[in-house]
Amino acid sequence: MKNEILRALRETDSYVSGQELCRKLGVSRTAVWKNIRSLQEDGYEIEAVTNRGYRLAGVPDTIAEEEVASRLQTERMGRQIRYFSRIDSTNQYAKRIAEEGAPDGTLIIADEQTAGKGRSGRTWVTPPAEAIAFTLLLRPKLSPDRISMVTLVMGLAVTNAVNSLYDVSAGIKWPNDVVIKGRKLCGILTEMSAEVRQVNYIVIGVGINANLTSFPEEIREIATSLRLELGCDINRAELIARVMTEFERLYAEFEAQGDLSAVMQEYNELCLNAGSKVRVLDPNGEYTGTSRGINSMGELLVETEDGQIQEVYAGEVSVRGIYGYV
Ligand code: BTN
């Protein structure tokens, strides 16, 4: 119920009467009051004025369930939220509850991860109160060979969300790193449980360097945060909710087509590799070429010097810029 109270208070800058809240939520005045008290204990500044009602005067810096849920505008993504102030890894937890039958669209959020997982066995740093770490659990009706494309869809969703909320210019380093001024802002790790022809579930883990001010030595040169780029803290809950909105739209288009044809153009406009020279770290031999963006399967098209187009599949190889990370 705290979600709905917050949502109602957010709809106006002015006061909402107790009576109006009772009517909207279908509960008693006592129930409303108890929940308002509980929100105040959680750090929400809610003014209560006789004959006028309640007004939201300040919100705590939190990504707890009520704060995110009361901002969500989605039908499917994040309709169930599980929040942890501290957890090993939201991806690990998502896989555990997926095995127990948690529904499609469940969103797991953590304020701190003690064993955040990155790609290729690396760790992902998620310090408390600064970072964004969440995992979305989906049960797609797609064959397993389509799943790598979902990661590109999430990369595009995060990039769109960041560019629409803040005065920055984020782009995508294929396949799914979100980058600002050549430095990595966000990483995505998708894991899947599948049979030969059928996917049981996927978990899409997203780590965004929201309000971090420093990084471990080994990534200092290649990482950035929104706080470092903007010079001020961002509202993490607002960003999570916007990512969900963007992802829901893009994923619906992807699911309807079964490939990226409907979102390919949008992706390529933000793809930092498109049109630039890249080095393809193929296990069968490294080569260079000019990237031409992705095709509808999410493969990176690389034109080699002899004019041939190579289709680079995300799972197999890495791509680097000629002069650095992008
Ligand atoms: C990468 O290496 O670029 C991918 C990083 C993915 C990190 C996120 S944070 C939320 C989710 N939980 C994890 O343990 N990892 C992902």
Side-chain angles (χ1 to χ4, degrees):
M1 191 194 304
K2 290 201 276 185
N3 300 346
E4 279 111 54
I5 293 183
L6 278 179
R7 197 181 277 276
L9 293 178
R10 278 215 165 90
E11 277 167 10
T12 170
D13 291 335
S14 172
Y15 290 84
V16 183
S17 73
Q19 203 178 359
E20 172 74 7
L21 286 175
C22 294
R23 195 189 55 74
K24 265 195 170 153
L25 278 63
V27 296
S28 69
R29 268 177 180 262
T30 322
V32 167
W33 174 236
K34 273 193 182 152
N35 281 282
I36 295 270
R37 284 291 296 273
S38 169
L39 283 167
Q40 286 168 330
E41 278 159 21
D42 294 341
Y44 288 89
E45 283 173 49
I46 301 174
E47 287 175 9
V49 176
T50 321
N51 294 331
R52 295 190 79 180
Y54 303 102
R55 189 178 81 88
L56 188 60
V59 296
D61 173 22
T62 175
I63 48 175
E65 181 188 342
E66 289 82 30
E67 184 58 19
V68 176
S70 64
R71 291 171 179 274
L72 278 184
Q73 292 175 340
T74 48
E75 300 273 324
R76 175 175 174 188
M77 309 302 170
R79 295 321 299 177
Q80 278 208 22
I81 296 180
R82 303 201 191 182
Y83 168 76
F84 297 89
S85 54
R86 194 170 206 228
I87 200 171
D88 51 355
S89 149
T90 53
N91 269 31
Q92 288 300 99
Y93 180 81
K95 287 189 280 182
R96 291 199 287 273
I97 62 168
E99 295 291 343
E100 292 158 10
D104 174 88
T106 302
L107 177 63
I108 299 100
I109 304 173
D111 195 53
E112 177 186 6
Q113 291 186 121
T114 51
K117 288 195 339 176
R119 270 178 311 179
S120 314
R122 286 188 286 265
T123 54
W124 185 263
V125 189
T126 315
E130 293 181 352
I132 290 177
F134 66 80
T135 297
L136 187 63
L137 162 61
L138 292 178
R139 297 185 180 277
K141 292 183 184 60
L142 296 166
S143 74
D145 64 340
R146 307 270 136 168
I147 296 307
S148 65
M149 289 184 253
V150 181
T151 316
L152 278 74
V153 175
M154 184 57 93
L156 180 54
V158 173
T159 309
N160 280 345
V162 166
N163 285 337
S164 66
L165 285 173
Y166 317 113
D167 186 17
V168 290
S169 177
I172 307 166
K173 175 187 178 287
W174 180 85
N176 51 46
D177 283 355
V178 181
V179 169
I180 299 179
K181 293 191 199 140
R183 288 168 180 253
K184 179 160 164 174
L185 175 74
C186 162
I188 301 169
L189 176 67
T190 300
E191 299 180 81
M192 158 169 85
S193 156
E195 313 295 328
V196 178
R197 283 203 181 78
Q198 182 201 320
V199 175
N200 299 324
Y201 61 82
I202 59 171
V203 299
I204 315 162
V206 179
I208 306 177
N209 301 328
N211 295 328
L212 279 75
T213 50
S214 64
F215 293 97
E217 178 78 46
E218 58 279 15
I219 56 168
R220 200 160 289 156
E221 294 302 313
I222 56 159
T224 191
S225 71
L226 287 166
R227 156 94 227 196
L228 291 174
E229 295 301 326
L230 294 165
C232 61
D233 280 351
I234 60 111
N235 184 310
R236 292 175 298 152
E238 180 180 40
L239 179 52
I240 296 173
R242 184 65 67 91
V243 172
M244 288 300 114
T245 301
E246 281 296 321
F247 183 75
E248 183 157 290
R249 172 181 72 82
L250 295 163
Y251 187 80
E253 297 188 52
F254 161 69
E255 210 176 26
Q257 304 288 327
D259 65 25
L260 298 174
S261 45
V263 302
M264 197 169 85
Q265 194 185 341
E266 204 174 327
Y267 182 99
N268 279 335
E269 277 163 16
L270 290 164
C271 180
L272 298 165
N273 312 97
S276 47
K277 282 229 180 286
V278 291
R279 194 154 47 94
V280 181
L281 310 179
D282 191 318
N284 301 319
E286 218 175 285
Y287 60 91
T288 56
T290 305
S291 157
R292 301 291 177 215
I294 59 163
N295 62 14
S296 63
M297 296 299 287
E299 293 160 334
L300 190 70
L301 303 175
V302 177
E303 187 175 340
T304 50
E305 257 158 40
D306 56 7
Q308 291 220 9
I309 301 277
Q310 303 287 334
E311 293 169 343
V312 184
Y313 177 66
E316 290 162 4
V317 296
S318 304
V319 164
R320 297 268 179 281
I322 295 288
Y323 303 109
Y325 162 66
V326 179

